[in-house]
Amino acid sequence: MMDVVEIQEILPHRYPFLLVDRVVSLEVKENIVAFKNVSISEPVFEGHFPGHPIYPGVMILEGMAQAGGLLAFQSMELTKEEVKEKVVYFMSIDKAKFRKPVRPGDRLEYRVSVIKQKGAIWLLEGKAFVDDEMVSEAELKAMVVDK
């Protein structure tokens, strides 16, 4: 388990771009389950779309990517000082699919697992769920680099 304060010790993202609220489970080098509470008070809903708020698909992918970054950092057994000197860059997003709109009030659950890892490069399978129904999925490739 990891709360938002612990997440901020690992990820450099901050409001309004920190898209993971809590980590529910994490198996090093295997998988992570994390979530984000989608709220109407988020700035993205001012323009997407007035009177018909839909959480943007790219934000869902970014949340998956942030969960994947947490998994990579926790799997690399870095000290807190070492983590502060590194960042995760996403190299590609493949096979992205959006199956159902996400709306304010939904709890997005990210389930990200390692397909392959070699050195600093991670290939991840990301899936997003609302109420156990898949709303999005993608393959994410990332690299952990020095800042």
Side-chain angles (χ1 to χ4, degrees):
M1 290 279 272
M2 210 181 299
D3 67 20
V4 74
V5 174
E6 294 166 299
I7 290 167
Q8 287 178 325
E9 290 176 2
I10 298 167
L11 293 181
H13 306 77
R14 296 295 179 263
Y15 175 85
F17 218 66
L18 179 59
L19 303 178
V20 178
D21 292 331
R22 179 178 299 274
V23 173
V24 181
S25 71
L26 190 149
E27 290 182 60
V28 170
K29 297 183 181 175
E30 294 291 328
N31 58 60
I32 187 171
V33 177
F35 70 80
K36 185 212 179 344
N37 294 306
V38 179
S39 169
I40 190 63
S41 64
E42 295 179 47
V44 71
F45 290 120
E46 287 180 38
H48 202 269
F49 300 101
H52 185 69
I54 302 290
Y55 194 64
V58 295
M59 301 295 275
I60 297 170
L61 293 176
E62 175 63 26
M64 271 184 220
Q66 290 180 18
L70 287 165
L71 175 58
F73 275 133
Q74 292 296 95
S75 296
M76 294 173 70
E77 300 173 7
L78 302 170
T79 67
K80 284 185 180 184
E81 292 73 31
E82 289 171 322
V83 166
K84 286 182 168 82
E85 299 305 316
K86 302 219 179 267
V87 68
V88 177
Y89 285 164
F90 274 81
M91 301 163 63
S92 67
I93 298 173
D94 294 314
K95 302 178 187 171
K97 292 188 172 105
F98 304 99
R99 303 189 178 282
K100 186 179 175 203
V102 175
R103 304 180 188 282
D106 286 343
R107 178 179 154 179
L108 262 173
E109 182 176 290
Y110 299 115
R111 302 176 192 170
V112 181
S113 57
V114 177
I115 297 172
K116 190 165 83 177
Q117 184 253 328
K118 187 173 183 183
I121 301 195
W122 296 78
L123 182 61
L124 306 167
E125 176 186 67
K127 295 182 178 180
F129 294 81
V130 172
D131 298 328
D132 270 334
E133 186 175 350
M134 191 187 314
V135 295
S136 182
E137 63 184 312
E139 252 182 37
L140 310 160
K141 187 186 268 187
M143 181 171 29
V144 178
V145 298
D146 293 328
K147 283 186 181 173

